[in-house]
Amino acid sequence: MINPTVEALLVLQERDTRVTALTTELENLPRQIDAVEQELETRTERFEELRNKTRQIEAERKKIDLDVQSKQAAIARYKTQQMQTRKNEEFAALNHEIEHAQKEISTLEDSELELMEAYDKGLASVAEGQKELLQFQDKAKHKKAELEKREANVSSELGGAREKQAEAEKTVPEDALSRYRRILKSKKDVAIVPIHGGACGGCHMKLTTQTVLTAKGAETLISCENCGRLVYWLE
Ligand SMILES: [Zn+2]
């Protein structure tokens, strides 16, 4: 024998649980969508950083190249001056300048080679990075669309679930409803639980014989002495 109020409360509790689950999911979905967008932003920034770094390498190499060109022009000038002078000392001094500039050019060209290698590696990384980013963009787009679709579905499911919840509420006598609501508010999970082996199905503490008997009698609502949840006898 089961108390009709208990029956009504069990239906209500099931519908309450559904409303709570949908509400929680609906609250969490925007955060999940944000996380996808955030991840895409981070990956895009990281890729742009890599691309800029690679461009900088090439800019640096071009700067060194200009330096080499100006030193080569200087050498040409020195050589012209050498042809115009008749002083041995001046000729020797210009020779010294030419050798010095040639050494500098050689050092600069070594750096240029290193930078060219680094640039090639950079270009390969940029190509790889771009491929990965495009793949992720595609993945993120789908994930976002999926989450947005879920959001719309949950939102409409929640509307239906709330209607059913309201219908179930109408079948519960007012005093029992306020008692149930009070317990649910403090316990968060469930307000009415079955008795299992003489213990409360909520807190699992042993119930007194009197409580079990009252629940079995099914004439009045009875609470667990420990947690306060309503308990009922499950035949
Ligand atoms: Zn209990």
Side-chain angles (χ1 to χ4, degrees):
M1 190 172 133
I2 191 156
N3 185 311
T5 301
V6 166
E7 267 185 326
L9 281 173
L10 289 174
V11 172
L12 175 61
Q13 179 163 272
E14 200 192 308
R15 295 181 182 183
D16 276 345
T17 304
R18 173 114 180 104
V19 166
T20 304
L22 289 171
T23 305
T24 307
E25 193 178 353
L26 199 58
E27 279 168 2
N28 286 331
L29 279 163
R31 220 170 306 149
Q32 289 178 48
I33 293 171
D34 279 354
V36 173
E37 282 171 351
Q38 190 60 50
E39 173 78 9
L40 181 59
E41 209 173 290
T42 306
R43 281 174 184 248
T44 306
E45 274 169 18
R46 219 186 295 151
F47 171 71
E48 274 164 10
E49 238 169 68
L50 177 71
R51 198 171 50 186
N52 286 341
K53 232 172 84 186
T54 306
R55 280 177 183 159
Q56 262 171 2
I57 293 173
E58 180 60 359
E60 210 179 313
R61 191 197 61 79
K62 280 182 179 159
K63 223 174 88 189
I64 292 177
D65 202 48
L66 286 177
D67 218 358
V68 169
Q69 283 173 34
S70 86
K71 289 197 191 303
Q72 279 167 342
I75 290 173
R77 262 196 330 272
Y78 296 145
K79 284 186 174 167
T80 310
Q81 284 169 15
Q82 273 185 328
M83 283 190 281
Q84 289 162 350
T85 186
R86 292 187 175 185
K87 292 176 190 159
N88 282 339
E89 260 174 48
E90 205 179 327
F91 190 90
L94 285 163
N95 245 357
H96 182 76
E97 289 296 331
I98 289 168
E99 273 170 28
H100 184 67
Q102 276 168 342
K103 263 187 206 160
E104 280 181 330
I105 287 174
S106 165
T107 308
L108 288 171
E109 280 175 344
D110 285 347
S111 310
E112 259 195 286
L113 271 178
E114 275 172 29
L115 289 171
M116 277 160 93
E117 268 176 40
Y119 183 59
D120 280 346
K121 275 185 196 160
L123 284 181
S125 303
V126 167
E128 182 64 25
Q130 189 155 36
K131 208 174 101 191
E132 277 174 20
L133 184 63
L134 284 173
Q135 275 170 356
F136 187 80
Q137 274 172 345
D138 201 44
K139 213 176 107 187
K141 204 176 109 188
H142 282 104
K143 183 79 189 158
K144 221 183 120 184
E146 203 180 278
L147 290 169
E148 279 164 352
K149 195 175 152 199
R150 181 70 194 143
E151 206 174 25
N153 285 344
V154 172
S155 181
S156 91
E157 275 175 47
L158 184 58
R162 281 201 176 121
E163 275 172 30
K164 284 191 168 178
Q165 180 189 42
E167 277 167 25
E169 261 190 351
K170 284 184 209 149
T171 67
V172 180
E174 214 169 299
D175 54 338
L177 182 64
S178 64
R179 192 169 164 189
Y180 164 85
R181 284 269 171 250
R182 208 169 46 241
I183 299 166
L184 190 61
K185 200 175 166 191
S186 86
K187 296 299 160 193
K188 314 276 190 240
D189 50 5
V190 280
I192 180 162
V193 293
I195 296 171
H196 285 310
C200 165
C203 68
H204 310 294
M205 293 291 281
K206 197 95 185 144
L207 296 162
T208 63
T209 312
Q210 189 54 51
T211 301
V212 174
L213 284 176
T214 308
K216 250 184 181 172
E219 277 178 22
T220 53
L221 291 178
I222 182 84
S223 278
C224 161
E225 306 87 15
N226 181 57
C227 71
R229 288 184 183 90
L230 296 166
V231 290
Y232 66 94
W233 184 254
L234 191 65
E235 302 198 35

